[in-house]
Amino acid sequence: MEEENQKMIPYQQVLFEEEEMIERSKMHYEFMNKRRSVRAFSDRDVPEEVIQYIIRTAGTAPSGAHKQPWTFCVIRNSDLKHRIRKLAEEEERKNYSGRMSERWLKDLEPLGTNAVKEFIDIAPWIIVVMKKSFDFNDDQKKINNYYVNESVGIASGFLIGAIHQAGLVTLTHTPSPMNFIAEALDRPKNEKPYLLLPVGYAKETCTVPDLERKNLEEISIYYM
């Protein structure tokens, strides 16, 4: 017997008058334009409930065939954070001392990055985004997920936006290779690390590079 079709419910669209729609989109842009990647974190605590809502928001992202191929590993334990930091720095030292090309290193110079990742220790929360290339059904049989990288990438964008919305800061950290994270967290074989995000407040003395984002004409083409 074929499975019944997915139950459908009415879509509750939220509508705004044109002027309000323009104002809301403008305000959201101006708010998001203040978002910056931060490397100097405060150890000030953040309520767990905030983190839970941030992750719930990430979980609203669209995904291929609605498979939701992600797991958000939330790390609070200081010993585990320190272990991950040491492993991450080990890989990063290899990157900075030989894996990265001279051009890559030169492009990183204005950002002031290096192999030291003390923010993993200092930030009160670490969120590791895991991607699941496949899942298992109730009978432990392998089932496919679809457009996994795209889906997890979108969810990560939702996650970063939600962090900023809460008045917090983060940094997208992608030590390569990242398999050591899955091993440290004892994750199943169908999960692979995608992104590591420290989450917290910026240190009071925090500074960020004086960068400019590309303007609208540089990032869009209109076909009218």
Side-chain angles (χ1 to χ4, degrees), residues 35-91:
R35 186 209 59 77
R36 299 298 300 271
S37 294
V38 165
R39 291 174 172 81
F41 280 78
S42 164
D43 62 359
R44 178 182 171 187
D45 197 16
V46 174
E48 182 179 352
E49 188 174 8
V50 174
I51 302 300
Q52 291 174 347
Y53 277 113
I54 286 170
I55 293 173
R56 284 190 175 107
T57 299
T60 68
S63 59
H66 195 56
K67 293 290 187 176
Q68 304 169 82
W70 45 64
T71 299
F72 301 97
C73 297
V74 184
I75 307 170
R76 175 75 158 176
N77 182 277
S78 57
D79 291 338
L80 181 55
K81 287 196 299 179
H82 188 67
R83 180 185 175 195
I84 290 175
R85 174 190 173 179
K86 291 302 182 183
L87 292 169
E89 288 180 340
E90 182 179 339
E91 291 297 339

Side-chain angles (χ1 to χ4, degrees), residues 28 37 47 57 72 79 102 105 113 124 132-133 153 162 172 182 204 217:
H28 187 65
S37 294
T57 299
F72 301 97
D79 291 338
E102 289 298 323
L105 292 171
T113 64
K132 299 196 291 184
S133 299
T172 53
E204 289 186 2
E217 289 72 24

Side-chain angles (χ1 to χ4, degrees), residues 13-217:
Q13 185 170 4
V14 180
L15 297 173
F16 305 102
E17 296 295 334
E18 187 172 295
E19 288 186 6
E20 183 180 0
M21 184 165 48
I22 293 171
E23 182 62 22
R24 288 173 66 92
S25 59
K26 177 185 176 184
M27 288 177 60
H28 187 65
Y29 157 69
E30 291 175 344
F31 177 73
M32 291 302 296
N33 196 37
K34 295 176 181 178
R35 186 209 59 77
R36 299 298 300 271
S37 294
V38 165
R39 291 174 172 81
F41 280 78
S42 164
D43 62 359
R44 178 182 171 187
D45 197 16
V46 174
E48 182 179 352
E49 188 174 8
V50 174
I51 302 300
Q52 291 174 347
Y53 277 113
I54 286 170
I55 293 173
R56 284 190 175 107
T57 299
T60 68
S63 59
H66 195 56
K67 293 290 187 176
Q68 304 169 82
W70 45 64
T71 299
F72 301 97
C73 297
V74 184
I75 307 170
R76 175 75 158 176
N77 182 277
S78 57
D79 291 338
L80 181 55
K81 287 196 299 179
H82 188 67
R83 180 185 175 195
I84 290 175
R85 174 190 173 179
K86 291 302 182 183
L87 292 169
E89 288 180 340
E90 182 179 339
E91 291 297 339
E92 288 292 75
R93 282 192 293 270
K94 294 176 183 177
N95 288 333
Y96 279 89
S97 63
R99 288 174 179 168
M100 292 178 176
S101 66
E102 289 298 323
R103 175 172 291 182
W104 191 347
L105 292 171
K106 189 172 182 61
D107 285 340
L108 289 174
E109 281 182 6
L111 305 179
T113 64
N114 55 46
V116 179
K117 307 302 176 185
E118 64 181 3
F119 53 78
I120 298 178
D121 270 331
I122 297 173
W125 298 94
I126 300 295
I127 300 176
V128 176
V129 183
M130 308 290 288
K131 66 177 183 179
K132 299 196 291 184
S133 299
F134 58 92
D135 262 305
F136 298 98
N137 62 17
D138 293 338
D139 297 324
Q140 292 302 300
K141 291 183 179 179
K142 183 177 175 180
I143 54 177
N144 292 332
N145 290 329
Y146 309 100
Y147 299 105
V148 173
N149 284 331
E150 294 86 348
S151 300
V152 177
I154 295 169
S156 298
F158 276 40
L159 182 66
I160 293 167
I163 291 168
H164 184 63
Q165 177 67 33
L168 302 173
V169 297
T170 190
L171 170 72
T172 53
H173 182 45
T174 53
S176 179
M178 297 177 68
N179 290 336
F180 69 88
I181 296 179
E183 294 173 4
L185 299 179
D186 194 26
R187 300 309 303 161
K189 296 297 183 182
N190 64 322
E191 293 187 3
K192 301 295 182 185
Y194 186 85
L195 193 63
L196 184 152
L197 297 164
V199 181
Y201 293 95
K203 191 176 182 179
E204 289 186 2
T205 57
C206 174
T207 59
V208 293
D210 184 14
L211 302 177
E212 291 186 7
R213 294 185 167 98
K214 293 180 179 180
N215 61 40
L216 182 63
E217 289 72 24

